[in-house]
Amino acid sequence: MVEELQLQATVPPEMAGQRLDRVLAQLFSDFSRARLQHWIRAGQVSVDGIQPRPRDRVTGGEKIALHAVLEVEGDWQPEAIPLDIIHEDESLLVINKPAGLVVHPAAGNRDGTLLNALLHHAPELAAVPRAGIVHRLDKDTSGLLVIARNLTVHKRLIEMMQARDIQREYQAVIQGVMTAGNTVDAPIGRHPLQRKRMAVVRSGRLAVTHYRVIERFRAHTHIRVQLETGRTHQIRVHMAHLHYPLLGDPVYGGRLRIPAGCSQALDEQLHRFKRQALHAQRLQLSHPLTGEDMDWQAALPDDMRVLLDVLRQDANESSE
Protein backbone atom coordinates (compact mmCIF):
# COMPACT_ATOMS: atom_id res chain seq x y z
CA MET A 1 0.00 0.00 0.00
CA VAL A 2 1.45 3.37 -1.10
CA GLU A 3 0.50 6.54 0.77
CA GLU A 4 1.08 10.05 -0.58
CA LEU A 5 1.46 13.31 1.31
CA GLN A 6 0.60 16.70 -0.12
CA LEU A 7 1.32 19.64 2.20
CA GLN A 8 1.71 23.35 1.64
CA ALA A 9 2.98 26.21 3.78
CA THR A 10 4.27 29.77 3.59
CA VAL A 11 7.56 30.63 5.27
CA PRO A 12 6.89 33.18 8.07
CA PRO A 13 9.01 36.36 7.97
CA GLU A 14 10.58 35.57 11.33
CA MET A 15 12.23 32.46 9.86
CA ALA A 16 14.21 34.50 7.31
CA GLY A 17 17.84 33.47 7.11
CA GLN A 18 17.35 29.92 8.38
CA ARG A 19 18.21 26.75 6.47
CA LEU A 20 15.34 25.22 4.55
CA ASP A 21 15.54 21.85 6.31
CA ARG A 22 15.36 23.55 9.70
CA VAL A 23 12.36 25.61 8.57
CA LEU A 24 10.54 22.51 7.29
CA ALA A 25 11.15 20.73 10.59
CA GLN A 26 9.24 23.58 12.28
CA LEU A 27 6.48 23.91 9.68
CA PHE A 28 5.92 20.15 9.29
CA SER A 29 6.76 19.05 12.82
CA ASP A 30 5.12 15.64 12.41
CA PHE A 31 8.21 14.49 10.50
CA SER A 32 11.84 14.23 11.51
CA ARG A 33 14.42 16.60 10.07
CA ALA A 34 16.30 13.65 8.56
CA ARG A 35 13.20 12.49 6.69
CA LEU A 36 12.48 16.00 5.43
CA GLN A 37 16.07 16.26 4.19
CA HIS A 38 15.55 12.99 2.32
CA TRP A 39 12.41 14.34 0.67
CA ILE A 40 14.18 17.57 -0.33
CA ARG A 41 17.05 15.63 -1.94
CA ALA A 42 14.53 13.35 -3.68
CA GLY A 43 12.94 16.35 -5.37
CA GLN A 44 9.68 16.03 -3.43
CA VAL A 45 9.83 19.58 -2.05
CA SER A 46 9.55 22.80 -4.06
CA VAL A 47 10.08 26.40 -2.99
CA ASP A 48 8.25 28.87 -5.23
CA GLY A 49 8.19 26.12 -7.85
CA ILE A 50 11.95 25.48 -7.71
CA GLN A 51 13.62 22.37 -6.32
CA PRO A 52 15.93 23.46 -3.47
CA ARG A 53 18.77 21.95 -1.41
CA PRO A 54 18.47 21.29 2.34
CA ARG A 55 21.11 23.94 3.13
CA ASP A 56 19.47 26.72 1.09
CA ARG A 57 18.45 29.77 3.14
CA VAL A 58 14.94 31.20 3.11
CA THR A 59 14.06 34.89 2.99
CA GLY A 60 10.47 34.67 4.23
CA GLY A 61 7.25 34.56 2.28
CA GLU A 62 8.20 31.61 0.04
CA LYS A 63 5.51 29.11 -0.92
CA ILE A 64 6.55 25.58 0.00
CA ALA A 65 4.93 22.49 -1.48
CA LEU A 66 5.67 18.99 -0.23
CA HIS A 67 4.51 16.06 -2.34
CA ALA A 68 6.04 12.91 -0.90
CA VAL A 69 5.47 9.21 -1.35
CA LEU A 70 5.80 7.16 1.83
CA GLU A 71 8.14 4.43 0.69
CA VAL A 72 8.31 0.89 1.96
CA GLU A 73 11.14 0.83 4.49
CA GLY A 74 12.56 -2.62 3.74
CA ASP A 75 12.07 -5.84 1.82
CA TRP A 76 10.64 -7.69 4.82
CA GLN A 77 7.75 -10.03 4.15
CA PRO A 78 4.47 -10.23 6.08
CA GLU A 79 3.93 -13.50 7.97
CA ALA A 80 0.81 -14.81 9.69
CA ILE A 81 2.36 -15.12 13.14
CA PRO A 82 -0.11 -14.85 16.07
CA LEU A 83 0.10 -11.65 18.10
CA ASP A 84 -1.06 -11.08 21.68
CA ILE A 85 -2.48 -7.57 21.20
CA ILE A 86 -3.07 -5.72 24.47
CA HIS A 87 -4.23 -2.46 22.90
CA GLU A 88 -4.97 -1.22 19.40
CA ASP A 89 -6.15 2.12 18.00
CA GLU A 90 -5.46 4.09 14.82
CA SER A 91 -2.19 5.39 16.30
CA LEU A 92 -0.76 2.63 18.48
CA LEU A 93 -0.40 -1.08 18.97
CA VAL A 94 0.73 -2.57 22.28
CA ILE A 95 1.97 -6.14 21.99
CA ASN A 96 2.71 -8.73 24.68
CA LYS A 97 5.72 -10.46 23.13
CA PRO A 98 6.40 -14.09 24.09
CA ALA A 99 9.89 -15.26 24.98
CA GLY A 100 11.66 -16.74 21.96
CA LEU A 101 10.29 -14.27 19.41
CA VAL A 102 12.91 -12.05 17.75
CA VAL A 103 11.72 -8.44 17.43
CA HIS A 104 13.50 -7.32 14.24
CA PRO A 105 15.03 -9.23 11.28
CA ALA A 106 18.80 -9.40 11.12
CA ALA A 107 21.45 -11.22 9.13
CA GLY A 108 20.68 -14.93 9.22
CA ASN A 109 17.32 -14.27 10.86
CA ARG A 110 15.10 -12.65 8.21
CA ASP A 111 11.84 -14.44 8.94
CA GLY A 112 9.63 -15.36 11.85
CA THR A 113 10.08 -12.07 13.73
CA LEU A 114 7.70 -9.66 15.41
CA LEU A 115 8.24 -7.24 12.52
CA ASN A 116 7.06 -9.85 9.99
CA ALA A 117 3.98 -10.48 12.13
CA LEU A 118 3.22 -6.75 12.39
CA LEU A 119 3.35 -6.31 8.61
CA HIS A 120 0.77 -9.07 8.22
CA HIS A 121 -1.52 -7.58 10.88
CA ALA A 122 -1.20 -3.95 9.73
CA PRO A 123 0.20 -3.63 6.16
CA GLU A 124 0.45 0.17 6.44
CA LEU A 125 3.40 -0.33 8.81
CA ALA A 126 5.56 -1.04 5.74
CA ALA A 127 5.87 2.74 5.30
CA VAL A 128 6.96 3.37 8.91
CA PRO A 129 10.62 2.90 9.99
CA ARG A 130 11.14 -0.60 11.41
CA ALA A 131 7.40 -1.22 11.01
CA GLY A 132 6.73 1.20 13.86
CA ILE A 133 8.96 -0.52 16.43
CA VAL A 134 10.45 2.21 18.62
CA HIS A 135 12.06 0.04 21.32
CA ARG A 136 13.06 -3.59 21.57
CA LEU A 137 13.06 -6.55 23.87
CA ASP A 138 15.71 -9.25 23.63
CA LYS A 139 14.61 -12.47 21.96
CA ASP A 140 14.22 -14.32 25.27
CA THR A 141 12.66 -11.45 27.21
CA SER A 142 8.86 -11.46 27.29
CA GLY A 143 6.43 -8.59 27.73
CA LEU A 144 5.10 -5.28 26.46
CA LEU A 145 6.17 -3.32 23.38
CA VAL A 146 4.54 -0.21 21.88
CA ILE A 147 4.28 0.15 18.09
CA ALA A 148 3.68 3.38 16.13
CA ARG A 149 1.20 3.04 13.26
CA ASN A 150 2.24 6.14 11.29
CA LEU A 151 5.15 8.56 10.87
CA THR A 152 3.68 11.24 13.11
CA VAL A 153 3.23 8.90 16.05
CA HIS A 154 6.61 7.25 15.36
CA LYS A 155 8.38 10.60 15.69
CA ARG A 156 6.50 11.53 18.84
CA LEU A 157 7.13 8.18 20.54
CA ILE A 158 10.85 8.45 19.83
CA GLU A 159 10.85 11.96 21.30
CA MET A 160 9.01 10.64 24.35
CA MET A 161 11.57 7.86 24.72
CA GLN A 162 14.41 10.37 24.53
CA ALA A 163 12.69 12.62 27.08
CA ARG A 164 12.10 9.59 29.36
CA ASP A 165 8.35 10.15 29.23
CA ILE A 166 7.58 6.46 28.69
CA GLN A 167 7.68 4.37 31.86
CA ARG A 168 8.73 0.74 31.54
CA GLU A 169 8.59 -1.65 34.46
CA TYR A 170 9.95 -5.20 34.48
CA GLN A 171 9.91 -8.19 36.78
CA ALA A 172 12.95 -10.45 37.06
CA VAL A 173 14.35 -13.33 39.06
CA ILE A 174 18.01 -12.89 39.97
CA GLN A 175 20.63 -15.20 41.43
CA GLY A 176 21.55 -14.30 45.00
CA VAL A 177 19.57 -12.89 47.93
CA MET A 178 19.30 -9.11 47.60
CA THR A 179 18.89 -7.23 50.87
CA ALA A 180 17.19 -4.10 49.53
CA GLY A 181 16.40 -2.11 46.41
CA ASN A 182 18.52 0.69 45.02
CA THR A 183 19.54 2.46 41.81
CA VAL A 184 22.35 1.56 39.43
CA ASP A 185 23.89 4.54 37.63
CA ALA A 186 26.67 3.00 35.55
CA PRO A 187 27.48 3.68 31.85
CA ILE A 188 27.05 0.83 29.38
CA GLY A 189 28.99 0.20 26.18
CA ARG A 190 30.54 -2.60 24.15
CA HIS A 191 32.65 -5.07 26.11
CA PRO A 192 36.30 -4.17 25.40
CA LEU A 193 37.23 -7.75 24.50
CA GLN A 194 33.98 -9.57 23.67
CA ARG A 195 32.34 -7.31 21.08
CA LYS A 196 29.02 -9.19 21.05
CA ARG A 197 28.52 -8.42 24.73
CA MET A 198 27.75 -5.21 26.57
CA ALA A 199 29.44 -4.15 29.80
CA VAL A 200 29.73 -1.35 32.33
CA VAL A 201 32.57 0.72 30.90
CA ARG A 202 33.75 4.23 31.64
CA SER A 203 33.37 5.28 28.00
CA GLY A 204 29.81 3.91 27.76
CA ARG A 205 26.50 5.77 27.49
CA LEU A 206 24.49 6.93 30.50
CA ALA A 207 22.44 4.04 31.92
CA VAL A 208 20.20 4.23 35.00
CA THR A 209 18.21 1.32 36.45
CA HIS A 210 15.99 1.36 39.55
CA TYR A 211 15.17 -1.91 41.31
CA ARG A 212 13.07 -3.02 44.30
CA VAL A 213 12.71 -6.36 46.08
CA ILE A 214 9.37 -8.17 45.71
CA GLU A 215 10.21 -11.50 47.39
CA ARG A 216 13.34 -13.26 48.67
CA PHE A 217 14.08 -16.99 48.44
CA ARG A 218 16.95 -19.08 49.71
CA ALA A 219 19.35 -18.32 46.84
CA HIS A 220 17.31 -16.07 44.56
CA THR A 221 15.28 -12.86 44.61
CA HIS A 222 12.19 -11.72 42.73
CA ILE A 223 12.61 -8.03 41.87
CA ARG A 224 10.80 -5.16 40.15
CA VAL A 225 12.92 -3.05 37.80
CA GLN A 226 12.23 0.35 36.26
CA LEU A 227 14.32 1.68 33.39
CA GLU A 228 15.23 5.34 33.27
CA THR A 229 17.32 4.83 30.11
CA GLY A 230 17.15 2.13 27.45
CA ARG A 231 20.58 0.71 26.63
CA THR A 232 21.12 -2.67 24.99
CA HIS A 233 20.87 -5.47 27.59
CA GLN A 234 20.67 -2.78 30.30
CA ILE A 235 18.95 -4.78 33.06
CA ARG A 236 20.99 -7.90 32.33
CA VAL A 237 24.28 -5.97 32.40
CA HIS A 238 23.48 -3.90 35.47
CA MET A 239 22.34 -6.88 37.53
CA ALA A 240 25.45 -8.84 36.54
CA HIS A 241 27.53 -5.78 37.46
CA LEU A 242 25.99 -5.94 40.96
CA HIS A 243 26.83 -9.68 41.12
CA TYR A 244 23.12 -10.53 41.02
CA PRO A 245 22.81 -11.84 37.44
CA LEU A 246 19.45 -12.82 36.00
CA LEU A 247 18.56 -16.47 36.43
CA GLY A 248 18.90 -18.35 33.13
CA ASP A 249 20.81 -15.57 31.35
CA PRO A 250 22.99 -17.43 28.80
CA VAL A 251 25.37 -14.48 28.34
CA TYR A 252 25.67 -12.69 31.69
CA GLY A 253 24.23 -15.28 34.10
CA GLY A 254 27.38 -17.03 35.29
CA ARG A 255 27.29 -20.30 37.22
CA LEU A 256 23.87 -21.64 38.19
CA ARG A 257 23.22 -21.35 41.93
CA ILE A 258 21.39 -24.28 43.54
CA PRO A 259 20.24 -23.94 47.18
CA ALA A 260 21.78 -26.58 49.44
CA GLY A 261 19.45 -29.51 50.05
CA CYS A 262 16.79 -28.23 47.65
CA SER A 263 14.04 -30.47 46.34
CA GLN A 264 14.34 -32.40 43.09
CA ALA A 265 11.54 -30.24 41.69
CA LEU A 266 13.54 -27.04 42.24
CA ASP A 267 16.77 -28.58 40.98
CA GLU A 268 15.03 -29.62 37.76
CA GLN A 269 13.25 -26.28 37.39
CA LEU A 270 16.47 -24.27 37.75
CA HIS A 271 18.29 -26.45 35.21
CA ARG A 272 15.33 -26.32 32.84
CA PHE A 273 15.01 -22.52 32.81
CA LYS A 274 17.15 -21.62 29.77
CA ARG A 275 16.26 -17.96 29.20
CA GLN A 276 16.84 -14.83 31.24
CA ALA A 277 14.02 -14.59 33.79
CA LEU A 278 12.91 -11.14 32.64
CA HIS A 279 9.43 -9.87 31.74
CA ALA A 280 8.37 -6.35 30.64
CA GLN A 281 5.31 -6.24 32.88
CA ARG A 282 4.08 -2.65 32.70
CA LEU A 283 4.09 0.21 30.18
CA GLN A 284 2.86 3.75 30.89
CA LEU A 285 2.69 6.77 28.59
CA SER A 286 0.58 9.71 27.53
CA HIS A 287 -1.11 8.96 24.22
CA PRO A 288 0.96 10.80 21.58
CA LEU A 289 -2.12 12.30 19.90
CA THR A 290 -4.80 12.64 22.58
CA GLY A 291 -2.59 13.16 25.65
CA GLU A 292 -4.63 10.57 27.58
CA ASP A 293 -2.71 8.73 30.30
CA MET A 294 -2.34 5.09 29.24
CA ASP A 295 -1.28 2.19 31.49
CA TRP A 296 -0.97 -1.43 30.34
CA GLN A 297 0.10 -4.54 32.25
CA ALA A 298 0.90 -8.08 31.14
CA ALA A 299 0.80 -10.96 33.61
CA LEU A 300 3.91 -13.04 34.15
CA PRO A 301 4.26 -15.82 31.58
CA ASP A 302 3.74 -19.40 32.69
CA ASP A 303 7.43 -20.31 32.87
CA MET A 304 8.24 -17.48 35.29
CA ARG A 305 5.10 -18.09 37.33
CA VAL A 306 5.96 -21.80 37.75
CA LEU A 307 9.56 -20.88 38.59
CA LEU A 308 8.41 -18.54 41.36
CA ASP A 309 5.97 -21.14 42.73
CA VAL A 310 8.74 -23.74 43.02
CA LEU A 311 11.17 -21.24 44.59
CA ARG A 312 8.50 -20.23 47.10
CA GLN A 313 7.69 -23.84 47.97
CA ASP A 314 11.39 -24.57 48.56
CA ALA A 315 11.73 -21.52 50.83
CA ASN A 316 8.66 -22.50 52.84
CA GLU A 317 9.77 -26.12 53.26
CA SER A 318 13.27 -25.11 54.41
CA SER A 319 11.84 -22.86 57.13
CA GLU A 320 9.65 -25.57 58.64
Side-chain angles (χ1 to χ4, degrees), residues 7 11 18 20-21 23 60 70 72 74 81 87 97 111 147 151 168 171-172 190 207 236 239 278 281 310 318-319:
L7 302 173
V11 178
Q18 295 187 36
L20 175 64
D21 56 356
V23 169
L70 300 184
V72 173
I81 300 169
H87 171 84
K97 186 189 86 68
D111 304 315
I147 311 297
L151 287 175
R168 290 170 289 164
Q171 289 195 27
R190 289 288 171 189
R236 300 165 65 189
M239 291 301 106
L278 183 62
Q281 184 256 339
V310 177
S318 68
S319 64

Side-chain angles (χ1 to χ4, degrees), residues 237-283:
V237 171
H238 271 171
M239 291 301 106
H241 177 68
L242 295 178
H243 306 293
Y244 292 107
L246 267 61
L247 173 66
D249 193 328
V251 178
Y252 308 101
R255 182 175 58 85
L256 183 62
R257 303 180 192 181
I258 307 292
C262 74
S263 66
Q264 182 179 350
L266 177 57
D267 185 281
E268 291 178 353
Q269 184 64 33
L270 292 174
H271 280 93
R272 189 184 303 128
F273 206 95
K274 297 297 186 182
R275 71 165 179 108
Q276 61 267 11
L278 183 62
H279 175 67
Q281 184 256 339
R282 190 172 189 180
L283 181 67

Side-chain angles (χ1 to χ4, degrees), residues 179-242:
T179 56
N182 208 329
T183 295
V184 189
D185 185 348
I188 291 176
R190 289 288 171 189
H191 192 287
L193 300 177
Q194 299 170 293
R195 303 303 294 173
K196 292 186 177 181
R197 296 181 56 168
M198 308 301 289
V200 170
V201 291
R202 185 175 300 176
S203 60
R205 300 175 67 189
L206 174 71
V208 180
T209 303
H210 308 284
Y211 60 94
R212 298 291 180 267
V213 172
I214 297 175
E215 189 173 7
R216 299 178 185 86
F217 307 106
R218 288 205 293 149
H220 302 84
T221 310
H222 180 199
I223 62 172
R224 178 177 291 109
V225 184
Q226 187 169 350
L227 288 181
E228 190 169 316
T229 54
R231 308 303 173 213
T232 301
H233 298 173
Q234 179 171 319
I235 295 173
R236 300 165 65 189
V237 171
H238 271 171
M239 291 301 106
H241 177 68
L242 295 178

